[in-house]
Amino acid sequence: MGEVKTPRQWFLWSIALVYVCAFASIYVQIPGLYGDDGILPVRLQMPKVQRPLLEQLQASPSILWLGPSLGLAPQQVLELICLVGVALALSAVLLWPQRDSLIYFCLWALYLSLYNVGEDFLHSEWDVLLLEAGFLAVLVAPLGLLRRQSSYNFHDSVSFWLTRWLFFRLTFCTGVSKLASGDPAWYDLSALSHHLQNQMSPTPLAWYVHLLPDWLLRFESVVVLQSEIIVPLVTFFAPIRRLRLFGFYVQLFLQLFYILTGNCSLLNLLSIALSFSLLDDDHFHDSNTGPKKKKGQEKKPRSWGQTLVYCLTLLVELAVYLFILYCFIALFKIQINWEEKTLSSETNFTQKKFDAYLEVFQELTIWVGVLSFTWEAVSAMLNCLCTRGIVSKLWSLVQWALITAAAVAVFALSVVPYTSMAGMAVSKVLPAVRDAYSALERFQLVGAYGIQHRMISAEGRPEIVLEGSYDGLTWKEMNHMYKPGNVDAVPPIVGPHQPRLERLMWQAAQEGDETSPWFTGLLQRLLQGKPEVVSLLQVDEAQYPFSQKPPVFIKAKLYNYHFTDPAKDKTHLQAWWRRQYKREFFPVVNLDDPALQKLLEEGGLKEKFPVQPSSDTPVSQVLSLIRGQVKGLSGPLVLTTLLATLVGIFLIKTVFSWLLGGRKPKPASVDHKTRKPKEPSETAEKSQAAATSNRASKKEANEKKDSDRSPRKRK
């Protein structure tokens, strides 16, 4: 693989942008989720008995425990963490010198602090992925703040390889989990038609895609499985550059499809960021400048050895593409009906056969990863040995040894969660590696992906609908901004904002868990009429039926939602959804209900001590001022404004660069045959040698010779 300077910069820039979205999204939701009047008040996690700080950090690494020392309330500490994270991430997005290892370490530590105290709201798959990708950014980014200039090192390809391994694990495990879980919707290839309405946050485009013919949706299911299982296997670690480019564009189009039909989540953005690991500098150079050939220059003939290698490369490429096509036809029985102009497809294997193949291929992928990493490490070492000077050579080798050792450790740790997927026993991993993984698990250095696959229901999308009442007879629904409720409401555009409450309600509806502490806390705060929690449901008070007075009673129902079909649902022509009542999810309760009080006590949400007044420090005043400016704004509006500001700054920088570049003196001739100006070092040498008459005469002779060769002279 060639040099990776440009893909590395794109990866670091993308990770910084994801951090901006993640911290800003959490900041908007902190009062409703973790505030003193929130669903799960973070102050309840503060130790009742004072413990040594190092002991507290060792048990659960988080900056939250520094709150008393800073004179800040627990909620304000979380807000400070998010604001500092946004500021650091913005600096890394806008200024390339800020894309430094120390900056990314601070971002990773800040997000880890939120993760360890965020409980269920922050324990999603994309949070784990962001922590692992963020830690890899610490290894990939240059450590340039401690020296005057940040430069490219030969060991960068070794650390950057870890991002490709992570991208492979994420993509491959996501695809494999669909079949390893035994989900019948993926075995009969009807999953995509159900997934479009069952996913967490469908977009209006998902409604239109859902109306496509059934045979086309089945074929798209085959494409998804191929893109997530077969394509990564044969392209991600291929030594042929064009195969890696093929894998990159397949994954890029797949993520764009997910974004357009299911909103832009952090998982999609992180997948795109990791996909840059499949590229090299040559791809960016070719796409920006294109191949340049001098006029009249003849192409050098290849030697017989180069011709042989070129032909073998083409044969291998062709074999890989034929193998992918064979998997399409053989594994899924793709057949074309020319008369009806349709495709038919069905799986040609059982779950038992798939599990048997998976056990073999999963272990094989680990050894392929070992060989690929060894190739990168040895190539980097040889480049270090080719540096000039003994001191530079030794220093390069020392850096290479440290980075390679860290990469080996991360790779070994990642094997533990990777083998936790169905098909391979964790016992095959060395005990020392398993012990190290258990000891470092609280730092979320590596994660497991695909193990939380949920069955796709063919009965529709289960949704929890909350209802409130003043008298227990007349009930009004409390519709959410970011999830289906009113059947006539257009599916919202949410991303890249991540509504945490809606994600848990979506999971609870599928799993049927109505006794979770967060759900009990939600009911309590709605009965109390806390505006911080109400704003999580509706920012616009006119859309919330109990904005003037909180309800006395509350209950929850479970409905099955389906996308409407104009060809079949003649009675729902103006509706996006149709729904069917399934069952009662939570019985009628009020604030004094013993059942509710018992659940609150079991969840640790009973008030055991009064809320302590926050100190009036300058930092606390600034935090309160910023919170007052953001209060009443929705998450998508805040993130859209933030991203639009970034776009505006980049446009201004581009315009200024273009204007300043336009003032530079143009070269005397644009002909490609005109000689380039000499290097500054050569000019300095000649200016120093101008004192001697011998070199001066030689310089004049060279200038005369150059003038004779100019295009105008030849004319």
Side-chain angles (χ1 to χ4, degrees):
M1 192 170 182
E3 291 187 352
V4 292
K5 296 179 183 178
T6 306
R8 185 185 64 155
Q9 285 298 324
W10 274 99
F11 167 73
L12 295 176
W13 182 87
S14 302
I15 292 296
L17 184 63
V18 173
Y19 270 127
V20 171
C21 298
F23 281 117
S25 177
I26 295 174
Y27 175 79
V28 176
Q29 304 174 76
I30 283 178
L33 298 180
Y34 305 112
D36 292 335
D37 294 326
I39 298 175
L40 297 177
V42 70
R43 62 185 177 84
L44 298 180
Q45 298 189 41
M46 300 298 292
K48 307 301 184 296
V49 180
Q50 193 67 24
R51 297 172 59 185
L53 181 59
L54 291 178
E55 182 180 346
Q56 189 73 15
L57 290 175
Q58 186 178 6
S60 178
S62 178
I63 302 177
L64 177 66
W65 318 128
L66 299 177
S69 303
L70 299 175
L72 298 175
Q75 176 185 343
Q76 292 181 325
V77 176
L78 296 186
E79 293 178 351
L80 180 62
I81 291 174
C82 290
L83 291 176
V84 173
V86 170
L88 289 177
L90 283 175
S91 68
V93 170
L94 296 173
L95 305 171
W96 71 265
Q98 294 298 105
R99 294 167 205 159
D100 186 85
S101 183
L102 292 179
I103 296 294
Y104 284 98
F105 177 79
C106 293
L107 290 171
W108 174 79
L110 291 172
Y111 204 81
L112 180 66
S113 299
L114 295 176
Y115 178 87
N116 284 330
V117 298
E119 299 186 269
D120 293 339
F121 289 114
L122 292 183
H123 287 187
S124 63
E125 189 175 49
W126 61 71
D127 292 313
V128 177
L129 179 61
L130 179 54
L131 284 172
E132 183 172 357
F135 180 74
L136 293 185
V138 178
L139 299 178
V140 172
L143 188 60
L145 293 181
L146 299 181
R147 57 178 184 264
R148 293 183 180 178
Q149 185 177 0
S150 174
S151 59
Y152 178 80
N153 296 303
F154 296 115
H155 58 71
D156 288 338
S157 60
V158 178
S159 56
F160 196 55
W161 180 91
L162 290 173
T163 62
R164 200 184 341 159
W165 171 245
L166 171 58
F167 187 43
F168 171 79
R169 286 166 41 220
L170 172 67
T171 308
F172 183 70
C173 292
T174 301
V176 163
S177 64
K178 294 177 172 62
L179 298 175
S181 61
D183 193 338
W186 284 105
Y187 278 92
D188 63 16
L189 302 180
S190 64
L192 192 59
S193 60
H194 302 309
H195 167 76
L196 290 169
Q197 63 184 9
N198 288 3
Q199 59 185 328
M200 188 180 73
S201 184
T203 63
L205 182 60
W207 184 85
Y208 291 99
V209 176
H210 181 264
L211 298 179
L212 293 176
D214 181 68
W215 65 266
L216 184 56
L217 291 175
R218 289 178 180 273
F219 179 73
E220 290 176 357
S221 299
V222 175
V223 172
V224 169
L225 292 176
Q226 287 280 98
S227 302
E228 293 181 344
I229 299 178
I230 303 299
V231 173
L233 278 175
V234 297
T235 62
F236 280 20
F237 299 108
I240 301 175
R241 177 171 169 265
R242 284 191 294 266
L243 288 178
R244 295 194 302 272
L245 290 180
F246 174 76
F248 167 77
Y249 283 109
V250 168
Q251 301 306 321
L252 179 62
F253 287 126
L254 182 64
Q255 294 305 320
L256 290 178
F257 172 78
Y258 287 152
I259 290 173
L260 293 174
T261 59
N263 273 293
C264 180
S265 71
L266 295 184
L267 185 63
N268 304 128
L269 295 179
L270 287 169
S271 298
I272 295 175
L274 292 171
S275 67
F276 291 124
S277 61
L278 300 175
L279 304 179
D280 53 22
D281 287 352
D282 293 338
H283 176 67
F284 289 92
H285 177 74
D286 295 343
S287 60
N288 291 334
T289 63
K292 292 184 178 180
K293 293 183 179 180
K294 294 184 178 181
K295 186 177 180 180
Q297 182 180 3
E298 296 182 359
K299 190 176 181 181
K300 295 182 179 180
R302 292 192 182 98
S303 63
W304 67 270
Q306 293 175 335
T307 304
L308 179 61
V309 172
Y310 179 76
C311 294
L312 290 177
T313 302
L314 288 180
L315 289 176
V316 173
E317 274 191 77
L318 181 61
V320 170
Y321 297 139
L322 290 177
F323 176 74
I324 296 175
L325 182 60
Y326 169 78
C327 292
F328 261 105
I329 299 174
L331 297 181
F332 298 99
K333 293 184 179 179
I334 302 294
Q335 295 180 354
I336 302 177
N337 189 330
W338 297 104
E339 295 180 357
E340 299 181 1
K341 297 181 180 180
T342 60
L343 284 173
S344 63
S345 56
E346 60 177 317
T347 53
N348 195 23
F349 52 88
T350 62
Q351 183 181 357
K352 186 176 181 180
K353 289 183 178 180
F354 179 79
D355 292 340
Y357 283 118
L358 176 61
E359 186 173 1
V360 175
F361 277 98
Q362 189 179 28
E363 187 172 358
L364 181 62
T365 56
I366 296 176
W367 289 110
V368 170
V370 171
L371 291 177
S372 178
F373 175 78
T374 303
W375 175 268
E376 294 290 345
V378 172
S379 300
M381 183 188 66
L382 294 178
N383 290 330
C384 293
L385 292 175
C386 294
T387 56
R388 295 180 179 180
I390 298 178
V391 177
S392 299
K393 188 175 300 185
L394 290 177
W395 179 238
S396 298
L397 287 174
V398 169
Q399 295 182 56
W400 171 86
L402 293 176
I403 293 297
T404 303
V408 169
V410 173
F411 176 78
L413 290 175
S414 68
V415 173
V416 178
Y418 179 60
T419 54
S420 63
M421 186 175 53
M424 186 175 178
V426 185
S427 58
K428 293 185 179 181
V429 183
L430 294 176
V433 176
R434 296 201 305 269
D435 295 340
Y437 173 80
S438 301
L440 300 174
E441 190 173 6
R442 62 183 180 275
F443 296 103
Q444 300 299 319
L445 301 181
V446 293
Y449 308 103
I451 60 175
Q452 298 179 352
H453 175 76
R454 292 175 177 83
M455 299 290 184
I456 298 179
S457 174
E459 299 178 356
R461 172 195 181 96
E463 277 293 344
I464 300 172
V465 176
L466 299 175
E467 296 183 359
S469 174
Y470 292 119
D471 54 8
L473 299 176
T474 304
W475 295 87
K476 297 180 180 179
E477 294 186 1
M478 307 175 186
N479 293 320
H480 292 240
M481 294 182 292
Y482 308 126
K483 76 181 192 70
N486 183 3
V487 294
D488 296 327
V490 181
I493 302 297
V494 180
H497 176 60
Q498 306 296 311
R500 304 288 175 160
L501 176 60
E502 278 72 10
R503 182 186 68 86
L504 288 186
M505 294 195 70
W506 173 69
Q507 292 181 359
Q510 293 181 333
E511 299 171 357
D513 187 7
E514 68 278 0
T515 59
S516 299
W518 66 266
F519 189 76
T520 308
L522 172 65
L523 299 181
Q524 178 196 24
R525 297 309 187 189
L526 291 177
L527 289 170
Q528 294 173 346
K530 298 299 181 181
E532 296 85 357
V533 177
V534 172
S535 64
L536 296 177
L537 275 66
Q538 289 288 348
V539 174
D540 186 4
E541 293 183 356
Q543 302 297 325
Y544 186 67
F546 303 99
S547 57
Q548 302 299 325
K549 180 183 177 182
V552 178
F553 302 96
I554 196 171
K555 65 180 179 179
K557 293 181 179 180
L558 192 65
Y559 288 87
N560 279 339
Y561 279 71
H562 301 263
F563 273 144
T564 57
D565 188 347
K568 300 178 181 179
D569 303 326
K570 301 297 183 180
T571 59
H572 300 83
L573 295 179
Q574 302 298 325
W576 292 81
W577 300 92
R578 58 181 177 85
R579 69 181 188 180
Q580 297 173 343
Y581 176 76
K582 188 175 181 180
R583 64 179 178 86
E584 183 184 72
F585 188 81
F586 199 90
V588 179
V589 292
N590 56 27
L591 273 178
D592 299 326
D593 195 302
L596 180 63
Q597 296 299 320
K598 181 180 179 181
L599 290 175
L600 290 173
E601 186 172 359
E602 291 177 353
L605 300 178
K606 293 286 289 184
E607 302 289 346
K608 298 182 180 179
F609 53 91
V611 178
Q612 299 295 329
S614 59
S615 59
D616 196 19
T617 62
V619 177
S620 177
Q621 293 177 359
V622 172
L623 292 174
S624 300
L625 179 63
I626 298 176
R627 174 57 64 185
Q629 299 297 321
V630 179
K631 186 178 181 181
L633 301 178
S634 64
L637 178 60
V638 172
L639 263 72
T640 302
T641 305
L642 195 59
L643 295 179
T645 304
L646 285 176
V647 172
I649 293 175
F650 279 116
L651 289 177
I652 294 174
K653 289 176 61 178
T654 303
V655 171
F656 270 95
S657 300
W658 179 76
L659 291 177
L660 295 177
R663 295 178 182 177
K664 293 182 179 179
K666 296 182 179 180
S669 174
V670 295
D671 191 0
H672 292 292
K673 292 185 178 181
T674 303
R675 289 183 174 271
K676 295 181 180 179
K678 296 181 180 181
E679 296 294 331
S681 59
E682 296 178 13
T683 306
E685 291 176 0
K686 291 190 175 182
S687 63
Q688 294 176 1
T692 62
S693 59
N694 187 23
R695 293 191 178 180
S697 61
K698 187 176 181 179
K699 179 181 179 183
E700 294 175 359
N702 290 337
E703 291 177 352
K704 184 177 181 181
K705 187 177 180 180
D706 291 341
S707 63
D708 292 337
R709 293 181 180 178
S710 65
R712 296 184 177 220
K713 201 74 175 177
R714 287 198 299 270
K715 290 181 180 179

